[in-house]
Amino acid sequence: GSCQGNSVERKIYIPLNKTAPCVRLLNATHQIGCQVTRSLSPASISGDTGVIHVVEKEEDLNWVLADGPHPPYMILLDGNLFNRRIMLQLKGTSRVSGLAVAIAQPSPPQGFSPGLKCPNDGFGVYSKDYGPQFAHCNKTVWNPVGSGLSYEDFDFPIFLLEDANEIQVIKQCYQDHNVPRDGSGPEYPLCAMQLFSHMHAVTSTVTCMRRSSLQSTFSINPEVVCDPLLDYNVWSTLHPINSSGKVDPGKEVIIVATRIDSHSFFWSIAPGAESAVSSFVTHLAAAEALHKVSDVHSLQRNIMFTFFQGETFDYIGSSRMVYDMEKEKFPLRLDNIYSFVELNQVALRNDSILWMHTDPVSRMNETVEAQVRNLLDILSNSSMGARVTLQEAGYSQPLPPSSFQRFLRARHIPGVVLTDHRTAFQNRYYQSMYDTPENIRMQYPEGLSPEETLEYVTDTAKSLAEVATVVARALYRLAGGANNTSAIQADPKTVTRMLYGFLIKMNNSWFQSIIKPDIKGILGDVPQHYVAVSSPVNTTYLVQYVLANLTGTVVNLTKEECLNPEKTPSSEKEMYEYAWVQGSLDPNSTSRVPYCVRSTVHLSKALSPAFELRQWGSTEYSTWTESRWKEIRARIFLVASKELEIITLVVGIAILVFSLLATYFINAKADVLFSIPRDPGAVAY
């Protein structure tokens, strides 16, 4: 026969599967994010619970903060009300046990940035000793929309709800059970929510790293409470260099740089369309365009394409590369750097203008000034005839937040940072969950299949390809190229594929074809670019393999030879990296046609030197860590009144006591109750 079963838990709870939590992050002096700290009870550790109240306008908060008879409340907050002023109101009350934020559709028109007004303040080049007039954004507030909400510490859990259907389920449960009737409170049972996000780390990086270190030293089963934010930088060179050796001191190298990470208030939600993706996609397209130039191998200077990880958190990637160069743990030294070109936010240009930012302090040196002027002239001339106009931001204008600042801290290097903003950011959603494809005006016709969407060239792709073309032409000139640059063109088709893959759907046919078979699991549906603590993250892998695909060469090696190039005498293993990639699907079957790619793409560690030096309280280097946690989940259910819970408990205890007494008396009289009667036929005389 057949048998059926049904979980009691499933009958009681409705799980919320499409959520993103706010987690705890720590640095040398502070803790930020969210944590349950109001109570040390087991109930708080296992999850915060509260009666749901939907807040769709500011007046609805009165019920939560004052009038409601059933505190604490779990608030379902409309995304348009998720701002600093309201959050600080909720932070100051014990009547709130948690918060679920319904993402705003469309994005808030006034902008929303939970980041700082002065990003990475204190870790760039400007300080009381270097350009004090520019320190702490005294001259220019780069992110005026920034509320600093991501850098507040909340003592209750906050989750983002991403699924409209789940939001509707919660609202329906609220409507059925929790809506106040005729001015009086609703009657039990009430709809409640439980959020699980207990964080293990507290106070600061200094405290949590010390505890983890002590555990590792003295415990057989150490319990680590936090981990440093870390990943890998991706870099490659136009001319191959020995990655395990040192570049000759007389060799000059131009560094092209960009960041590949972003952040938002919620863990694992970091789309970063304008703040990161627009720049590194442009960078990748420029690298491809340069590698197609016929005389590229005869250029006087080498070019290094660098993609930094962890820049959102006080320049983790760039500070580590500078540290490694100073300690001669990297093939290049700082003395090898001829000039530095950085691509920052470049997608939201007004009138097709791209602004060139330089450092006014280092330009006071005549030698540096001459080199910077040459760099600016080459960039400006490269834009002639293009649909992009390059203009100088101004001699008195400081550098915006950029990786270049970390290099300037170590040495006066001529360099320029390219952005779409002269002063404040054009991006009104910097470091937020709303920095999406829509923010950089990516639009597709309706009715396209995923494959057609991947190949459709958007206006955004065309615009970024124009920027990549100008950058590639300028780099060619800087490297000593003398030929006409009109043939150097970035491919809009490549740009549109990258934008689709990094912003809309990672698991697409192109990305599938260019990665190794053993890491195909990294291709999740929803792209996000948070640096995290497990490395390399998806973004790092994909930038690595996209760069190898665009700049590398397909070589005629077998799988065995490709995976073990040191066994092939002509492989030059110290100069190149080899990757056996999946390849495209064979048109006549379901199998793929793999092949071997040879490239100059390498990874280098992006872990702050503070952790290498065990200086967890450092003010020189980033000290960001992420707390560990046991589980993160959310669910809703109906909760009974306290009276009914007490009655149920009392009845349960009474039944238990009665059962114990009955068992005792039955056991005591067992010889009477369960005695075996005598056989009447057996009579003794």
Side-chain angles (χ1 to χ4, degrees), residues 161-412:
L161 303 177
E162 301 175 74
D163 191 318
N165 292 327
E166 290 185 345
I167 294 171
Q168 192 53 46
V169 168
I170 297 171
K171 287 184 175 180
Q172 190 59 53
C173 187
Y174 168 78
Q175 290 289 338
D176 294 342
H177 299 280
N178 295 12
V179 174
R181 311 289 179 189
D182 302 322
S184 60
E187 296 182 359
Y188 286 98
L190 298 174
C191 191
M193 183 184 294
Q194 190 172 28
L195 302 178
F196 297 80
S197 65
H198 178 71
M199 300 288 135
H200 294 174
V202 294
T203 309
S204 68
T205 289
V206 176
T207 301
C208 79
M209 289 299 292
R210 185 175 64 242
R211 289 178 180 176
S212 297
S213 179
L214 287 171
Q215 284 271 345
S216 301
T217 304
F218 298 108
S219 175
I220 298 174
N221 298 307
E223 183 181 347
V224 177
V225 294
C226 69
D227 300 284
L229 295 183
L230 69 112
D231 204 80
Y232 288 88
N233 298 322
V234 182
W235 64 274
S236 76
T237 51
L238 199 60
H239 306 155
I241 62 173
N242 188 338
S243 60
S244 58
K246 293 287 177 290
V247 173
D248 187 85
K251 294 283 186 181
E252 294 179 328
V253 179
I254 300 159
I255 291 185
V256 196
T258 191
R259 67 173 59 189
I260 58 175
D261 69 298
S262 187
H263 182 226
S264 81
F265 186 88
F266 298 100
W267 185 76
S268 78
I269 302 292
E274 160 73 339
S275 60
V277 177
S278 68
S279 56
F280 75 69
V281 161
T282 304
H283 188 170
L284 288 164
E288 181 193 32
L290 267 174
H291 273 267
K292 290 179 178 178
V293 177
S294 57
D295 64 335
V296 68
H297 295 294
S298 62
L299 292 176
Q300 175 187 347
R301 300 182 184 93
N302 204 347
I303 299 174
M304 186 169 101
F305 306 99
T306 314
F307 301 82
F308 292 122
Q309 261 288 16
E311 295 301 274
T312 304
F313 295 95
D314 300 336
Y315 306 119
I316 293 174
S318 55
S319 62
R320 179 53 187 259
M321 184 170 283
V322 171
Y323 174 82
D324 286 344
M325 286 181 177
E326 290 177 322
K327 302 297 181 183
E328 298 199 356
K329 297 179 179 180
F330 194 78
L332 264 67
R333 302 173 180 87
L334 289 170
D335 291 340
N336 292 119
I337 301 174
Y338 174 74
S339 59
F340 197 104
V341 177
E342 180 170 354
L343 286 162
N344 214 303
Q345 304 177 73
V346 294
L348 299 176
R349 302 191 305 282
N350 282 334
D351 301 322
S352 297
I353 296 174
L354 207 59
W355 296 98
M356 301 181 291
H357 299 263
T358 57
D359 172 41
V361 180
S362 60
R363 288 181 68 178
M364 293 178 184
N365 180 297
E366 290 184 7
T367 305
V368 174
E369 166 61 19
Q371 293 171 313
V372 170
R373 178 47 56 194
N374 176 57
L375 177 56
L376 294 172
D377 290 343
I378 288 175
L379 281 163
S380 298
N381 293 335
S382 299
S383 68
M384 289 182 180
R387 295 179 184 176
V388 180
T389 304
L390 270 71
Q391 293 186 15
E392 192 175 349
Y395 187 86
S396 61
Q397 178 79 12
L399 286 169
S402 52
S403 307
F404 180 40
Q405 293 200 32
R406 290 302 303 194
F407 284 80
L408 277 176
R409 281 178 76 130
R411 183 173 179 270
H412 280 180

Side-chain angles (χ1 to χ4, degrees), residues 86-161:
I86 286 179
M87 290 303 297
L88 292 184
Q89 284 186 56
L90 301 179
K91 183 179 177 179
T93 177
S94 60
R95 290 175 60 88
V96 175
S97 60
L99 193 68
V101 180
I103 195 164
Q105 295 288 355
S107 302
Q110 72 277 12
F112 174 76
S113 172
L116 298 171
K117 293 183 184 296
C118 189
N120 290 358
D121 186 24
F123 290 87
V125 69
Y126 302 115
S127 66
K128 61 181 175 60
D129 302 317
Y130 187 99
Q133 68 273 31
F134 304 125
H136 312 300
C137 296
N138 286 336
K139 179 79 174 180
T140 305
V141 177
W142 296 106
N143 185 30
V145 185
S147 64
L149 194 60
S150 287
Y151 296 84
E152 288 290 331
D153 183 32
F154 293 95
D155 56 359
F156 51 80
I158 304 175
F159 278 52
L160 178 70
L161 303 177

